């Protein structure tokens, strides 16, 4: 089985961005800048945000983390986003989800200026994306597509199944696979006999958010399996995905591990998007 090494591919994506960052710095005297808003004390979110900052620094991009307490009100959060919208030195804004329960993520998405929407989550960005007119695409699905291209895995004509239909992963993933000429079926929590669908697919992207839910028996021989899930409750408290990766080694044609698969690609795409937004705002594109 070919292990799709997201860490390596992400490193290549970052290397390809470094000269663009240098050029931007030369022309504008500052690096493209990502502002991340983090509300509350969710441990996993703090780790993800820290990794995003490290990735930015690795290619000379700048980033700021705006830590806000769990007690933050909707008004305070909206004000923070407006402040970042107005700040000429901020190119990309990312609000780390999930938010504490009393905050309204819909409202947050309405606040982010589309021209600074680094994860393509605002309704305007989503509209452009589904109309095929977006410059910036949702980070996780676009990262998956970059990884498939890197390994020369052609999607055209394949029977693909996406497990999950969230706005952030499942729906845009299905759209990108459709755009790449796969024939796509979307499954979700109300799908009856899920494995009847997944077992027919040449390519399965699993984004159900259920630890170790699918294994060898759920995939056909020589399938390509992309695992988007991230959980901290694997054997021995290790990170794991939605798929029991160890069962696939003599079965799948290719699969992504967790960690080291889709996660690094999501971050690399976030950097790519921020760079692109900076260049667009500066008139370089
Ligand atoms: P959501 O919880 O928003 O969506 C999960 C989707 O999976 C829903 O559409 C749900 O169906 C479906 N689902 C849930 N249970 C089942 C089941 N038993 N069978 C079939 N479908 C099911 O999650 P996200 O899309 O935001 O994230 C999915 C996973 O990916 C999570 O583990 C998350 O942590 C991870 N993630 C990883 C990223 C990375 O960079 N690697 C980035 C983003 C997310 P329904 O719509 O019917 O409820």
């Amino acid at each position: 089985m070919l292990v799709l090494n997201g860490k390596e591919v992400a490193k290549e994506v970052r290397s390809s961005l470094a000269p663009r960052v240098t050029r931007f710095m030369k022309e504008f005297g500052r690096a493209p800048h990502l502002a991340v808003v983090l509300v509350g004390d969710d441990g996993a979110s703090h780790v993800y945000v820290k990794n995003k900052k490290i990735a930015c620094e690795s290619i000379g991009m700048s980033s700021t983390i705006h830590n806000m307490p769990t007690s933050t009100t909707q008004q305070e959060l909206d004000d923070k986003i407006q402040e970042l919208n107005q700040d000429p030195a901020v190119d990309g804004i990312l609000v780390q989800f999930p938010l504490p329960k009393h905050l309204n993520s819909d409202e947050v998405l309405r606040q982010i200026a589309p021209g600074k929407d680094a994860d393509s989550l605002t309704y305007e960005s989503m509209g452009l994306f589904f109309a095929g007119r977006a410059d910036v695409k949702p980070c996780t699905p676009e990262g998956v597509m970059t990884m498939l291209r890197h390994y020369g895995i052609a999607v055209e004509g394949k029977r693909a199944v996406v497990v999950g239909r969230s706005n952030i992963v499942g729906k845009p993933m299905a759209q990108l696979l459709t755009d790449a000429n796969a024939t796509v079926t979307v499954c979700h929590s109300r799908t009856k006999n899920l494995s009847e669908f997944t077992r027919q697919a040449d390519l399965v992207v699993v984004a159900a958010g259920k630890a170790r839910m699918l294994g060898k028996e759920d995939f056909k021989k020589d399938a390509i399996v992309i695992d988007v899930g991230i959980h901290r409750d694997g054997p021995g408290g290790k990170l794991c995905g939605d798929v029991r990766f160890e069962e696939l080694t003599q079965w799948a044609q290719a699969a992504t591990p967790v960690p080291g698969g889709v996660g690094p690609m999501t971050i690399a795409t976030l950097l790519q998007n921020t760079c692109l937004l900076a260049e667009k705002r500066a008139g370089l594109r």
Side-chain angles (χ1 to χ4, degrees):
M1 179 184 81
L2 173 66
V3 176
L4 304 174
N5 187 337
K7 253 184 164 170
E8 282 303 314
V9 186
K11 208 194 252 174
E12 277 195 20
V13 173
R14 288 198 303 273
S15 301
S16 74
L17 291 174
R20 284 166 60 185
V21 172
T22 307
R23 178 183 170 206
F24 191 92
M25 280 191 80
K26 266 195 194 139
E27 294 214 20
F28 303 102
R30 66 170 187 87
H33 184 118
L34 174 70
V36 181
V37 180
L38 176 56
V39 188
D41 49 16
D42 179 70
S45 293
H46 276 262
V47 174
Y48 298 149
V49 166
K50 197 178 99 197
N51 289 342
K52 286 166 186 169
K53 189 170 172 59
I54 293 170
C56 282
E57 284 164 2
S58 75
I59 55 163
M61 276 175 65
S62 62
S63 67
T64 40
I65 300 175
H66 298 265
N67 277 299
M68 302 181 81
T70 308
S71 59
T72 300
T73 63
Q74 186 76 45
Q75 188 61 52
E76 286 166 339
L77 181 54
D78 293 352
D79 289 348
K80 171 57 73 182
I81 295 169
Q82 286 307 330
E83 177 194 317
L84 298 171
N85 283 345
Q86 304 303 325
D87 186 342
V90 169
D91 301 296
I93 301 171
L94 181 124
V95 178
Q96 184 69 39
F97 289 147
L99 292 170
K101 289 206 165 30
H102 66 281
L103 295 171
N104 181 339
S105 49
D106 262 13
E107 185 52 35
V108 168
L109 295 179
R110 263 191 281 274
Q111 297 289 334
I112 300 172
K116 294 191 176 187
D117 180 10
D119 203 11
S120 186
L121 276 180
T122 62
Y123 299 120
E124 185 169 333
S125 305
M126 279 175 66
L128 287 169
F129 171 73
F130 283 103
R133 307 183 72 88
D135 297 313
V136 160
K137 295 175 187 162
C139 294
T140 301
E142 178 65 4
V144 169
M145 297 306 288
T146 303
M147 183 149 59
L148 293 172
R149 278 194 298 273
H150 172 91
Y151 283 101
I153 296 173
V155 166
E156 177 156 343
K158 284 207 166 46
R159 203 181 275 206
V161 164
V162 178
V163 185
R165 56 177 168 180
S166 69
N167 284 346
I168 191 167
V169 186
K171 277 184 207 160
M173 187 75 251
Q175 183 65 38
L176 287 179
L177 289 169
T178 304
D179 291 347
N181 298 320
T183 303
V184 184
T185 303
V186 177
C187 298
H188 44 75
S189 68
R190 311 292 174 90
T191 300
K192 293 201 170 97
N193 304 321
L194 176 67
S195 65
E196 271 178 24
F197 293 90
T198 54
R199 268 205 302 260
Q200 298 212 5
D202 307 308
L203 168 68
V204 185
V205 181
V206 190
K210 296 278 179 283
R212 296 172 57 77
M213 180 177 89
L214 300 182
K216 176 181 170 183
E217 71 280 6
D218 299 300
F219 304 105
K220 78 174 188 187
K221 178 93 180 93
D222 291 330
I224 297 152
V225 180
I226 307 292
D227 187 357
V228 177
I230 308 180
H231 312 274
R232 296 205 162 260
D233 48 356
K238 285 192 189 150
L239 282 183
C240 71
D242 287 358
V243 175
R244 300 189 295 277
F245 179 79
E246 72 282 0
E247 293 181 11
L248 302 185
T249 45
Q250 302 299 321
W251 189 253
Q253 182 190 135
T256 57
V258 178
V262 175
M265 294 306 300
T266 297
I267 298 181
T269 310
L270 175 67
L271 268 48
Q272 190 171 282
N273 284 352
T274 303
C275 207
L276 186 66
L277 290 173
E279 290 165 346
K280 277 204 80 180
R281 236 163 35 89
L284 291 179
R285 284 178 179 265

